Amino acid sequence: MADKQKVAFLGLGVMGFPMAGHLANAGHDVTVYNRTAARAQAWVEKYRGSRAETPAAAAKGAAIVFSCVGNDDDVRSIVYGDNGALAGMSRGSIYVDHTTASAEVAREVAAAAQKRQVEFLDAPVSGGQAGAENGKLTVMVGGGQGPFDRAKPVIDSYARACVLMGAVGSGQLAKMVNQICIAGLLQGLSEGLNFAVKAGLDTTKLVEVISKGAAQSWQMDNRAHTMVEGKFTFGFAVDWMRKDLGICLAEAKRNKARLPATALIDQFYAQVQARGGNRWDTSSLIHLLAKD
């Protein structure tokens, strides 16, 4: 059980809103900030806590500042400047960024934080909106052992697993691996299910039996039936997946890793976007096969 602390949470999207809520429910003194003030007010009305007009104001006096925003530039917009989080943070406090962003921006922000004697952890999450709402996220962390040990009991408010992967940037690199694996898995599941439909198999029986063997996956257990039904409103959007895969492909250019399947599947997602599926969930790859 974590000691009750004064914390801030910046970014109240579909992930940040419930994550900050778990912190409040755990008894922490939470101040929130969101670019759209009405969203922050809605959070205050639902949970115990307060809201601030700027990231700096939210961060003032906080032992730990959390953020979960959209991309690298969004991170920079809430961290830097007179109204940025670092301007309001105290020496020895910790900044924990849950945004799925590049390892490059993680290292950049860590260096800026260090100049102000603030610790930094990059801590992207996996588990989607449902995981955030249920407090069952997986958190991959990059940074020092000391700040990790201090932050983990608080992060555990909304995590079922929280693991220090290595130095700053390692959390983001681990999240890239996560997204690479999911992309390949979903393409394989899409092809298999589409094959089953074309072959006239009973997909309910099929999934029941193959999910008991080596083909089993979270995606199969949770998305197979909705994929066959052509329903794609169950989680992580294609627009966000393309953002993440872009980060993976850019990092692969730097570290010389070959990602041939990932690059191809990224283009498949581009085709889904062209069909108007920007907000469909990532299992919508099957739409390209079923509606060829």
Side-chain angles (χ1 to χ4, degrees):
M1 182 70 68
D3 293 336
K4 306 308 181 234
Q5 301 195 49
K6 180 172 173 55
V7 302
F9 205 105
L10 316 177
L12 301 174
V14 296
M15 302 293 288
F17 194 100
M19 290 165 74
H22 286 297
L23 292 172
N25 289 340
H28 299 292
D29 178 4
V30 184
T31 300
V32 299
Y33 164 80
N34 194 68
R35 186 166 48 189
T36 305
R39 180 76 168 170
Q41 183 58 38
W43 185 92
V44 170
E45 291 172 1
K46 183 172 183 178
Y47 299 104
R48 296 184 305 275
S50 57
R51 68 181 180 92
E53 296 299 322
T54 66
K60 187 175 181 180
I64 307 175
V65 176
F66 298 93
S67 61
C68 190
V69 292
N71 56 36
D72 286 20
D73 287 340
D74 291 331
V75 172
R76 293 184 177 103
S77 74
I78 61 170
V79 168
Y80 300 138
D82 292 342
N83 291 322
L86 287 180
M89 294 183 70
S90 305
R91 180 185 305 176
S93 58
I94 306 170
Y95 191 104
V96 179
D97 184 29
H98 288 305
T99 307
T100 295
S102 68
E104 182 180 18
V105 81
R107 298 182 188 113
E108 172 194 312
V109 174
Q114 187 177 33
K115 291 178 181 177
R116 301 185 71 95
Q117 295 183 284
V118 170
E119 303 281 3
F120 176 83
L121 300 172
D122 55 293
V125 302
S126 181
Q129 184 176 349
E133 291 172 350
N134 297 328
K136 301 294 185 183
L137 292 169
T138 297
V139 188
M140 298 147 271
V141 186
Q145 187 71 55
F148 174 79
D149 290 342
R150 289 164 54 201
K152 183 180 182 300
V154 184
I155 294 172
D156 284 344
S157 301
Y158 44 78
R160 66 175 178 181
C162 181
V163 178
L164 182 63
M165 302 303 302
V168 168
S170 299
Q172 296 296 353
L173 294 170
K175 180 62 185 285
M176 293 175 208
V177 175
N178 186 79
Q179 301 306 75
I180 291 165
C181 293
I182 289 174
L185 193 156
L186 279 169
Q187 180 61 25
L189 183 58
S190 296
E191 293 183 14
L193 291 173
N194 186 65
F195 179 94
V197 170
K198 300 293 187 185
L201 291 172
D202 182 324
T203 55
T204 300
K205 290 182 178 179
L206 174 73
V207 171
E208 181 181 356
V209 66
I210 68 172
S211 66
K212 302 299 189 295
Q216 185 275 338
S217 68
W218 185 96
Q219 300 291 345
M220 179 179 288
D221 291 344
N222 291 275
R223 296 288 181 265
H225 296 305
T226 54
M227 289 169 72
V228 172
E229 294 168 357
K231 298 177 180 177
F232 310 120
T233 58
F234 300 96
F236 198 64
V238 167
D239 278 352
W240 291 112
M241 186 59 153
R242 287 217 70 208
K243 183 267 289 187
D244 289 0
L245 293 181
I247 292 171
C248 297
L249 293 167
E251 184 65 33
K253 286 183 179 179
R254 283 189 284 269
N255 69 16
K256 309 302 182 186
R258 295 182 64 242
L259 298 178
T262 303
L264 181 60
I265 295 164
D266 177 57
Q267 292 307 301
F268 290 160
Y269 278 123
Q271 293 174 34
V272 173
Q273 289 175 314
R275 293 186 177 193
N278 303 65
R279 301 302 302 170
W280 294 352
D281 70 55
T282 48
S283 69
S284 57
L285 284 170
I286 195 171
H287 193 274
L288 300 176
L289 305 172
K291 306 293 183 182
D292 190 2

